[in-house]
Amino acid sequence: MRLSPLLFVVLLLLIFSFYQFSSINALSLKKESKKIKLSDLQPCDDKIKKGEKCLLKILNAHPAQIPVGLAEVYCKVKQFEFKYEDEASLNKYLAKHTVPVVKGPSNDPKSKNAVFYVVDHHHLLVSLYLSKFSKSNFPNYYDVNARYVIAEVVNNYSNDGLDTLSFWRKMVEKGFAYTKDERGLNLTLPNFITTLPSTITKLKNDPYRSLSGFDRYYGGYAKDASVFFVDFIWANFLREQGSGTFSPVLNGFYSTLVQNADVNGAVKVEFEKQRSVTQYAVKLSESSIAKGLPGYGQGEADIPDCFDYDHLLTVN
């Protein structure tokens, strides 16, 4: 029995549709299987291997940089406090924002335990540490000592027999460590090692790091994934090129420790002052003197909620 051309075409379309549906369904199941379940994750310890994910307590995380921008942290804190109603919604966010870490030797020669060095998302950890969560809605996240992130081990140098200097030399070579201080001064590697905080609570405020972040939010420049520490590169550019405008506004906020940060006091004041000079930062970043910096001329505005809603600024 011969099929008419029309019937043949219809059969082909049915077969193609079935194949498409099967492929999409299989892909959906594959994506579903990759969802991170907190209950399946173990605490980050000596047994965790490269490529694995684990639960890392924020206060056990070791930074790989000295500065952080507290005004940008303020912005993230307000987003956490307003956007997430309970622990389930926060955990969904954490599952989508895994923190890359390097497993390495302790800086303490007496300790044989491996430690986990955060190589990105320092601002995320600081923001979670400083946020206020209610005990009723966040029973496992209310206690700051119990707060965690989902970490992914991107490299493991804990068994390489490296001494402290060799380990940090490798970290710098791989682009995992930022060796300038909160004023943009480049430190020698030995000086960096002795100055580097052992916990995120002792990171120091660099107001220009916040300014560069806000500059990027307003489209002053774009992230360039091929270049390490892009936001710090732009922070140092703004510090050098716009000092006449920015210094009177920002210089009083240098070096505050995270553990001493008054989120709804001095940090909020800095955030409001940062807003007053952000547009000038964007103008400077779009000018010809910034040409050649990573992400120059490619910025697109993506303004976070803390800039959009004025009521966030009045919360105490």
Side-chain angles (χ1 to χ4, degrees), residues 21-309:
F21 174 80
S22 301
S23 300
I24 292 170
N25 201 35
L27 185 60
S28 298
L29 288 172
K30 188 175 180 182
K31 286 183 177 178
E32 195 73 29
S33 67
K34 287 187 176 181
K35 283 186 178 179
I36 300 171
K37 293 183 179 179
L38 293 185
S39 58
D40 294 338
L41 296 176
Q42 300 295 318
C44 295
D45 58 22
D46 286 343
K47 298 177 183 178
I48 299 296
K49 301 175 182 177
K50 180 180 177 180
E52 293 183 336
K53 293 183 174 68
C54 54
L55 293 178
L56 177 63
K57 283 190 175 182
I58 290 174
L59 292 180
N60 290 344
H62 288 244
Q65 64 189 49
I66 296 167
V68 70
L70 283 179
E72 184 172 356
V73 164
Y74 173 87
C75 186
K76 292 180 181 292
V77 165
K78 293 307 169 188
Q79 288 177 297
F80 281 127
E81 293 179 350
F82 276 83
K83 290 180 71 173
Y84 300 97
E85 299 178 352
D86 53 31
E87 206 160 287
S89 61
L90 180 62
N91 282 335
K92 286 182 181 179
Y93 173 88
L94 294 177
K96 293 178 181 178
H97 296 80
T98 55
V99 175
V101 297
V102 168
K103 188 178 177 183
S106 172
N107 279 350
D108 181 0
K110 297 179 182 179
S111 174
K112 294 183 179 180
N113 295 329
V115 297
F116 294 87
Y117 295 93
V118 176
V119 297
D120 199 4
H121 299 325
H122 290 77
H123 287 74
L124 171 62
L125 271 71
V126 173
S127 302
L128 290 168
Y129 168 75
L130 290 174
S131 294
K132 293 180 180 179
F133 298 103
S134 69
K135 192 172 185 178
S136 57
N137 291 341
F138 299 86
N140 298 308
Y141 221 78
Y142 170 76
D143 182 1
V144 70
N145 296 299
R147 294 179 187 177
Y148 53 81
V149 291
I150 299 174
E152 181 174 2
V153 180
V154 296
N155 259 305
N156 181 5
Y157 301 134
S158 62
N159 299 317
D160 290 5
L162 299 173
D163 59 32
T164 301
L165 190 63
S166 299
F167 167 71
W168 283 106
R169 187 176 290 118
K170 184 177 284 284
M171 289 282 281
V172 172
E173 288 172 355
K174 295 289 185 180
F176 291 144
Y178 179 74
T179 58
K180 292 188 177 183
D181 69 6
E182 75 276 15
R183 294 180 180 272
L185 299 176
N186 201 28
L187 304 177
T188 64
L189 193 54
N191 195 9
F192 168 73
I193 293 169
T194 57
T195 307
L196 183 68
S198 60
T199 170
I200 61 104
T201 65
K202 295 184 179 179
L203 292 173
K204 295 180 179 180
N205 187 34
D206 175 2
Y208 288 88
R209 171 56 187 81
S210 292
L211 184 61
S212 70
F214 298 152
D215 179 10
R216 176 167 51 80
Y217 293 153
Y218 272 88
Y221 66 95
K223 277 275 194 181
D224 184 337
S226 67
V227 180
F228 298 118
F229 308 110
V230 170
D231 288 327
F232 280 113
I233 292 173
W234 283 92
N236 291 321
F237 164 77
L238 295 173
R239 192 188 336 263
E240 294 165 6
Q241 298 296 330
S243 59
T245 298
F246 303 133
S247 294
V249 179
L250 302 181
N251 280 9
F253 298 105
Y254 270 119
S255 303
T256 301
L257 295 179
V258 166
Q259 65 187 11
N260 297 332
D262 181 358
V263 174
N264 290 312
V267 178
K268 175 183 172 182
V269 170
E270 184 194 342
F271 174 78
E272 292 171 335
K273 288 184 178 294
Q274 292 268 6
R275 291 187 68 178
S276 71
V277 293
T278 296
Q279 290 301 331
Y280 180 72
V282 172
K283 185 177 180 180
L284 194 61
S285 298
E286 292 176 340
S287 70
S288 59
I289 58 175
K291 200 170 184 178
L293 291 181
Y296 172 78
Q298 301 169 19
E300 294 183 5
D302 184 13
I303 304 168
D305 294 345
C306 60
F307 278 82
D308 290 341
Y309 302 117

